[in-house]
């Protein structure tokens, strides 16, 4: 008798099903929405296991009433609160009977078709794990930001995690489907109890087991971010230093799990991800914390980074996270926080001063001579260029102009030959809406002119006189006192980048400047909103670098402007510096916009 074919066996096999484990604690306002989104996936979801972590707000009762009319829903009530997410997920996993399992938090939802897309990918690729795109939805604005979009740009099958080290950047467990038998065979579970960032360790345990992984570009998870909620989620509540302690511990355990499984490259990738993502995110927020937090954070970070070896630092040595880490290691006390914040921005900005050692080697500062030599070999398209930006009224206050100053960086900018800069404004709540200005020439500045540009210095370029007749309506003009006419792209001697060894100062070897008119009509067309500034600098060989701009913060530079408008009567424009020091604008057109600003200010005064 011929052996039964695989096709015949597949035809006789019962259809695969998915279990969704939903966990919640005191989240009566959202938990039923989460469960319903899982049930709405259709027959592909065979069971939903809702684990209530000993809630006191009636959540369990709501789940019981829903289960009475939904046979696929099973409710498990824990008798004691675990303090975290790992224990209830393990409880749900133990109760699962389906061949595949997904995880869902009570304040999030699964978009339609998520389970089917992941199951089809897993079955089609014979994969133990399938992952898809998660989007972070900011509430109440509704703004959506994809999570690790590069990883899920295309359909792909990864036969072994080591083939794609970037997998360690996606530490979420909720945008994935797992073969239940795979998790149980390898004893893969979440850390128990109050263990923030439990999914970081869980993901490392999954990757250590070397699963075959299918990736899909489909949206499979909506992560709701409620920053104004009375109780922030564990991952969003970064106000205490214990949160940072928990994150470093989770990253340390992830490294040890992968290294212990012989996955040395993935373990290295975990440490690189910590520098590029975790470290930079917290450094951007250090200025918001008090002195005690900063000292404790600095001590914890130095202890964690002291475990890194030479190979960890040698990989991509000019990357911003590695430069930040080396500065932290080199200083026993917190230092240069405004400048570190700028380097931690995305894109990174290395602001002045640009110091050199006695032998001419670029260093962090005269007081902290951490070598910046790797910047000399970094491609121009990835350099942490610093651009100062200030917003000034002109035309008797009827218009606004953006003044930009590009700093030299150890001769690299002059060597590349900057030619033009293009400004674009991205709508904060709808990243697809972009207002672009015409690219304008960058003109070399005479030595010593313009703003010093050091973070927090408040120095600004001297105010320019009225525009020449016939140019008042120009969208953009080049600025340079004594420089070549607008449109010229040759670099004068002051911008050639010749820097004597050991010199100090904020601008060494030149700078370039331009002025761009702000299109308030376009910015106000959508009503009140926030706009982020992005710049594209083009160089002589056609290479470009996208950067954000450092907001100068001197007296009067970030002042609210009321600009007359033929359409709206008046447009309120409030420039401000973001947490990372970048320039952004709040725009409020018309009487309604003015009233909204007044109400917001009153709320701040009252609270």
């Amino acid at each position: 008798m011929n052996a039964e074919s695989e096709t015949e066996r597949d035809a006789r096999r019962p259809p695969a099903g998915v279990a969704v484990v939903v966990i919640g604690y005191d989240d009566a306002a959202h938990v039923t929405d989460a469960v319903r989104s899982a049930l709405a996936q259709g027959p592909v979801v065979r069971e939903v296991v809702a684990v209530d972590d000993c809630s006191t707000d009636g959540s369990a009762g709501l789940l019981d009433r829903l289960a009475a009319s939904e046979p696929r829903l099973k409710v498990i009530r824990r008798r004691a609160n675990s303090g975290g997410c790992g224990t209830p997920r393990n409880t749900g996993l133990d109760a699962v009977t389906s061949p595949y399992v997904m995880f869902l938090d009570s304040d999030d939802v699964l978009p339609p078709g998520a389970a089917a897309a992941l199951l089809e990918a897993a079955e089609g690729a014979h994969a133990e794990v399938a992952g898809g795109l998660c989007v972070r939805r900011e509430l109440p604005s509704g703004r959506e930001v994809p999570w690790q979009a590069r990883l899920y740009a295309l359909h792909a099958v990864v036969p072994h995690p080591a083939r794609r080290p970037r997998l360690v950047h996606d530490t979420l467990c909720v945008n994935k489907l797992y073969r239940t038998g795979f998790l149980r065979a390898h004893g893969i579970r979440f850390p128990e109890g109050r263990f923030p960032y439990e999914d970081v360790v869980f993901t490392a345990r999954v990757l250590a087991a070397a699963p075959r992984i299918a990736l899909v570009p489909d949206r499979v998870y909506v992560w709701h971010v409620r920053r104004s909620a009375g109780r922030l989620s564990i991952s969003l509540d970064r106000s205490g230093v214990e949160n940072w302690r928990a994150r470093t511990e989770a990253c340390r355990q992830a490294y040890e799990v992968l290294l212990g499984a012989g996955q040395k490259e993935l373990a290295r990738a975990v440490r690189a991800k910590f520098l590029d993502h975790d470290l930079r995110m917290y450094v951007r927020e250090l200025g918001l914390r008090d002195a005690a937090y900063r000292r404790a954070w600095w001590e914890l970070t130095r202890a964690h980074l002291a475990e890194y070896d030479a190979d960890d630092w040698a990989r991509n040595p000019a990357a911003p996270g590695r430069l930040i880490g080396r500065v932290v290691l080199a200083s026993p006390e917190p230092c240069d926080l405004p400048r570190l914040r700028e380097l931690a921005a995305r894109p990174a900005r290395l602001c002045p001063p640009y110091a050199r050692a006695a032998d001419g080697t670029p260093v962090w500062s005269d007081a902290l001579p951490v070598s910046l030599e790797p910047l000399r070999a970094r491609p121009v398209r990835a350099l942490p260029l610093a651009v100062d930006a200030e917003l000034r009224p002109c035309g008797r206050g009827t218009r606004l102009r953006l003044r930009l100053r590009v700093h030299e960086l150890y001769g690299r900018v002059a060597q590349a030959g900057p030619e033009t800069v293009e400004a674009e404004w991205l709508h904060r709540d709808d990243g697809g809406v972009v207002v672009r200005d015409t690219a304008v020439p960058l003109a070399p500045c005479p030595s010593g002119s313009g703003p010093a540009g050091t973070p927090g210095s408040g120095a600004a370029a001297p105010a320019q006189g009225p525009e020449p007749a016939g140019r008042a309506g120009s969208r953009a003009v080049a600025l340079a006192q004594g420089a070549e006419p607008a449109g010229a792209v040759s670099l004068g001697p002051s911008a050639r980048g010749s820097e004597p060894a050991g010199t100090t100062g904020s601008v060494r070897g030149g700078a370039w400047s331009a002025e761009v008119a702000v299109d308030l009509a376009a910015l106000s067309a959508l009503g009140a909103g926030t706009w982020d500034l992005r710049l594209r600098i083009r160089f002589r060989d056609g290479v470009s670098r996208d950067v954000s701009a450092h907001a100068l913060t001197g007296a009067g530079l970030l002042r609210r402007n009321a600009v007359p408008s033929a359409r709206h009567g008046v447009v309120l424009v409030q420039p401000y510096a973001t947490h990372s020091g970048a320039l952004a604008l709040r725009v409020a057109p018309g009487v309604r916009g003015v009233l909204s600003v007044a109400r917001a200010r009153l709320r701040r005064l009252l609270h």
Side-chain angles (χ1 to χ4, degrees):
M1 179 183 289
N2 293 332
E4 184 180 28
S5 70
E6 184 175 345
T7 301
E8 290 172 335
R9 288 197 302 273
D10 287 345
R12 297 184 355 147
R13 184 184 302 153
V18 177
V20 180
V21 174
V22 185
I23 64 168
Y25 169 66
D26 279 357
D27 197 15
H30 308 113
V31 65
T32 54
D33 291 337
V35 170
R36 287 191 175 96
S37 77
L39 294 170
Q41 299 294 307
V44 68
V45 169
R46 182 183 298 177
E47 58 183 334
V48 176
V49 180
V51 182
D52 180 75
D53 201 12
C54 198
S55 295
T56 60
D57 67 345
S59 295
L62 293 174
L63 292 171
D64 286 338
R65 285 194 287 275
L66 187 57
S69 59
E70 178 48 73
R72 289 182 295 164
L73 175 59
K74 178 181 181 180
V75 179
I76 300 176
R77 296 193 187 197
R78 288 186 46 79
R79 295 183 178 180
N81 178 258
S82 67
C85 299
T87 297
R89 287 198 187 121
N90 289 336
T91 299
L93 181 60
D94 290 340
V96 164
T97 62
S98 301
Y100 293 93
V101 62
M102 297 175 65
F103 300 99
L104 171 62
D105 290 346
S106 62
D107 53 350
D108 302 329
V109 293
L110 297 179
L118 291 174
L119 179 60
E120 181 182 358
E123 291 277 279
H126 302 286
E128 289 83 18
V129 179
L133 184 66
C134 167
V135 294
R136 290 166 53 103
R137 180 181 293 164
E138 299 273 352
L139 296 175
S141 72
R143 176 195 182 208
E144 292 189 348
V145 179
W147 170 260
Q148 297 298 326
R150 285 172 51 193
L151 196 57
Y152 299 104
L154 300 169
H155 287 273
V157 177
V158 183
H160 191 288
R163 300 276 188 90
R164 190 162 298 191
R166 190 164 183 84
L167 286 167
V168 304
H169 283 253
D170 184 11
T171 55
L172 301 181
C173 68
V174 289
N175 60 330
K176 300 177 183 70
L177 174 142
Y178 305 90
R179 192 183 293 274
T180 309
F182 164 78
L183 295 180
R184 289 173 176 165
H186 292 276
I188 299 173
R189 297 172 69 79
F190 293 89
E192 295 277 352
R194 181 166 180 78
F195 191 103
Y197 306 107
E198 74 294 329
D199 45 359
V200 172
V201 178
F202 177 83
T203 297
R205 292 171 177 173
V206 169
L207 296 178
R212 185 177 177 86
I213 301 174
L215 305 176
V216 299
D218 306 63
R219 286 175 25 139
V220 300
Y221 197 85
V222 179
W223 173 3
H224 286 148
V225 180
R226 297 178 173 90
R227 298 188 189 278
S228 60
R231 187 189 75 209
L232 289 174
S233 66
I234 292 174
S235 61
L236 287 179
D237 187 5
R238 299 194 290 269
S239 59
V241 76
E242 288 306 311
N243 176 279
W244 180 241
R245 188 190 306 275
R247 187 180 284 260
T248 55
E249 177 58 28
C251 292
R252 180 181 293 109
Q253 289 195 26
Y255 172 82
E256 291 172 350
V257 165
L258 289 164
L259 195 64
Q263 304 285 353
K264 189 173 182 179
E265 288 303 308
L266 288 177
R268 295 277 188 206
V270 164
R271 285 185 165 176
K273 175 257 178 188
F274 175 84
L275 294 171
D276 182 62
H277 174 69
D278 305 85
L279 182 64
R280 291 174 71 178
M281 177 170 58
Y282 281 72
V283 165
R284 289 194 296 270
E285 299 175 351
L286 269 184
L288 306 176
R289 313 302 182 203
D290 60 26
Y293 176 100
R294 295 174 190 172
R295 285 193 297 272
W297 183 94
W298 200 270
E299 182 179 351
L300 285 170
T301 306
R302 295 184 80 234
H304 183 70
L305 295 179
E307 299 173 3
Y308 283 37
D309 59 30
D311 285 344
D312 293 319
W313 297 109
R315 300 185 178 205
N316 197 7
R322 283 171 174 77
L323 297 181
I324 294 169
R326 288 165 55 212
V327 170
V328 172
L329 271 179
S331 176
E333 296 291 334
C335 70
D336 296 339
L337 297 187
R339 197 166 176 230
L340 288 172
R341 176 192 68 174
E342 301 276 344
L343 187 56
R346 294 186 183 277
R349 302 182 296 272
L350 180 57
C351 291
Y354 302 122
R356 289 182 182 270
D359 62 358
T361 301
V363 293
W364 177 257
S365 67
D366 294 333
L368 201 66
V370 174
S371 175
L372 303 182
E373 183 68 20
L375 289 176
R376 287 180 166 176
R378 193 164 179 82
V380 172
R381 65 180 180 274
L383 282 175
L385 300 181
V387 182
D388 292 336
E390 56 173 306
L391 203 62
R392 291 283 188 177
C394 60
R396 296 184 178 180
T398 60
R399 287 173 292 113
L400 294 175
R401 286 196 177 278
L402 179 68
R403 291 177 176 170
L404 303 171
R405 181 180 178 89
V406 181
H407 288 281
E408 178 57 278
L409 187 63
Y410 297 111
R412 296 297 312 282
V413 178
Q415 183 183 30
E419 295 189 337
T420 64
V421 60
E422 178 184 351
E424 61 181 26
W425 298 93
L426 284 68
H427 196 277
R428 178 75 58 82
D429 293 331
D430 187 350
V433 178
V434 180
V435 175
R436 289 187 176 87
D437 287 304
T438 306
V440 299
L442 280 164
C445 300
S447 179
S449 69
T454 52
S457 67
Q464 302 295 316
E467 294 179 347
R471 295 181 60 187
S474 172
R475 287 286 301 277
V477 294
L479 267 189
Q481 298 176 346
E484 298 178 40
V489 296
S490 63
L491 297 174
S494 64
R496 291 293 180 188
S498 56
E499 304 172 13
T503 58
T504 60
S506 62
V507 180
R508 301 178 179 196
W512 297 260
S513 62
E515 185 173 299
V516 180
V518 178
D519 190 348
L520 282 179
L523 296 182
S524 59
L526 293 182
T530 301
W531 298 83
D532 293 303
L533 175 63
R534 291 293 183 271
L535 304 171
R536 178 163 296 161
I537 301 173
R538 294 194 182 277
F539 296 89
R540 190 166 40 227
D541 61 358
V543 171
S544 64
R545 172 60 166 145
D546 291 344
V547 299
S548 54
H550 162 68
L552 292 178
T553 57
L557 289 178
L558 297 181
R559 183 171 50 196
R560 182 183 296 124
N561 293 276
V563 182
S565 166
R567 177 179 178 183
H568 302 287
V570 66
V571 177
L572 286 185
V573 181
Q574 174 67 71
Y576 72 99
T578 66
H579 288 339
S580 66
L583 180 66
L585 294 183
R586 295 189 184 98
V587 176
V591 175
R592 185 173 299 177
V594 173
L595 291 176
S596 69
V597 171
R599 283 194 295 267
R601 189 167 187 178
L602 181 60
R603 282 195 298 270
R604 288 195 296 271
L605 290 174
L606 293 177
H607 298 286

